[in-house]
Amino acid sequence: MTERAKSVASKQRPPKRSEAARSEGGPTTTERKPLPTGAGARMNARVVLALALVALALWTAAGFLPAVIWAAILATSLWPLYTKFAARVTSGRSSLAPLVFTLVVALILFTPMSLAVYQIAQQGDLLVGWMKQAGESGIEVPDWLARLPIAAESIEQWWRSNLSDPKAATAWLKSVNADNASELFRTFGGQLLHRLFLLFFSLIALFVLLRNGRSISDRVLETCDRLFGEAGEGLAEQMVDAIRGTVNGTVLVAAGEGLLIGVAYFVAGVPHAIVFTILTTAFAMLPFGAWLAFTAAAVVLVSGGGSGFAAAGVFFWGAIVMLAGDHFVWPTLVGDSARLPFLFAFVGIFGGLAAFGLLGLFLGPVIMSALLVVWREWVFRPVAPEKNG
């Protein structure tokens, strides 16, 4: 019964393509022919696919790219220091050394931020009480306004017109919409949480880069060698030197500016001079950050009963130090360490700041350095004459 069913099924089943071709005298097997494209066309297709995937990856990770770039800048600039630290902590490859080093970096980054937030929070209650008093009974012109060396009369006149009279003060405070103020604080809080999350992600990326730094650098150099040859490795090394030179120059200049301005704090008798010195040094790494710090120190000095001329001296001394450091010393240090001419270093720093924001302080010199390497080594590199015979 079973054999009969098999025979019937075999009779009803149509012959395979190979069997039909064999019966018609054609080839016994059918092979799939490749598409009529050459090796060049297939290579172009691979390049297009790779570029499309890179573009999609960058678009997907666009929100995290600044954090990753910051981590890469920190890892590149701190790598020599990290290798010495890791050699003392562990003998072989381990996660302990990069973890401890990342925690130290986080502590250094969070300390000035915590001090600034603490100082702002301490002044928050005073500000609320000041606004309440202004709306109820008005605020008399403080004595320290008369000690201001510049625009003291104009400020006193504005104070009497807007804050000394309770009705005028109430009208002026009503112009500051409470809903807008609360919305501003909510927006500021959301932005602060977002920045803190990106900072936390940067620290995670820094840990990963430190832990796998050697393998990542080997892959990058190998990729540069395959794409551009020996000149690609030179370009990568020059970009690394530019990053380290920019970071080192920024830290050294900020430390020097903070210490010099801190001396003025102690001489003038600024309250909490040590705290202001730390904040000035930290904020000197940010665009116009030190200006805000020593201006606040001058205001605190004169409002606390200090001399107006001493406060003016703190401000003008800070301005002189910052102008000299940011416009002459800093570009010179960065240019020498990154092997950039002064004009290229100056344009790279401030042009990068205008184009990319805070990241541009480091990306600008790197771009200029890479441009000079391509110009010197790839375009005008002397070619050795060929030997005959």
Side-chain angles (χ1 to χ4, degrees), residues 257-324:
E257 291 171 343
L259 292 176
L260 289 175
I261 298 175
V263 171
Y265 294 159
F266 284 98
V267 172
V270 175
H272 310 291
I274 296 178
V275 175
F276 272 110
T277 302
I278 295 175
L279 293 178
T280 304
T281 303
F283 288 169
M285 302 180 191
L286 306 176
F288 305 104
W291 290 80
L292 178 63
F294 64 72
T295 301
V299 172
V300 170
L301 173 61
V302 74
S303 63
S307 170
F309 288 100
V314 168
F315 178 82
F316 285 113
W317 174 249
I320 292 172
V321 170
M322 293 303 300
L323 288 174

Side-chain angles (χ1 to χ4, degrees), residues 159-367:
W159 193 290
R160 292 192 183 95
S161 302
N162 293 278
L163 297 177
S164 295
D165 185 8
K167 295 182 179 180
T170 302
W172 182 77
L173 290 175
K174 283 183 178 180
S175 64
V176 182
N177 195 323
D179 295 334
N180 294 338
S182 60
E183 182 66 25
L184 176 63
F185 281 113
R186 283 196 297 268
T187 303
F188 175 76
Q191 288 293 326
L192 180 61
L193 290 177
H194 179 66
R195 301 298 179 185
L196 289 176
F197 172 74
L198 289 181
L199 178 58
F200 177 71
F201 182 79
S202 294
L203 293 175
I204 294 178
L206 176 62
F207 167 76
V208 174
L209 291 175
L210 292 176
R211 187 175 184 274
N212 306 291
R214 298 188 184 279
S215 60
I216 293 175
S217 62
D218 292 340
R219 292 293 179 87
V220 170
L221 290 177
E222 183 180 355
T223 302
C224 292
D225 183 64
R226 290 189 177 185
L227 291 177
F228 307 109
E230 183 180 354
E233 295 185 10
L235 176 62
E237 293 175 357
Q238 182 69 15
M239 293 175 68
V240 169
D241 292 339
I243 292 175
R244 289 176 181 170
T246 305
V247 174
N248 295 336
T250 301
V251 173
L252 289 176
V253 171
E257 291 171 343
L259 292 176
L260 289 175
I261 298 175
V263 171
Y265 294 159
F266 284 98
V267 172
V270 175
H272 310 291
I274 296 178
V275 175
F276 272 110
T277 302
I278 295 175
L279 293 178
T280 304
T281 303
F283 288 169
M285 302 180 191
L286 306 176
F288 305 104
W291 290 80
L292 178 63
F294 64 72
T295 301
V299 172
V300 170
L301 173 61
V302 74
S303 63
S307 170
F309 288 100
V314 168
F315 178 82
F316 285 113
W317 174 249
I320 292 172
V321 170
M322 293 303 300
L323 288 174
D326 288 350
H327 292 83
F328 297 100
V329 180
W330 185 23
T332 301
L333 284 178
V334 173
D336 291 342
S337 57
R339 287 175 284 178
L340 279 175
F342 177 82
L343 183 61
F344 276 77
F346 190 90
V347 172
I349 291 171
F350 293 99
L353 178 63
F356 304 104
L358 187 57
L359 278 174
L361 292 176
F362 307 96
L363 293 182
V366 171
I367 293 173

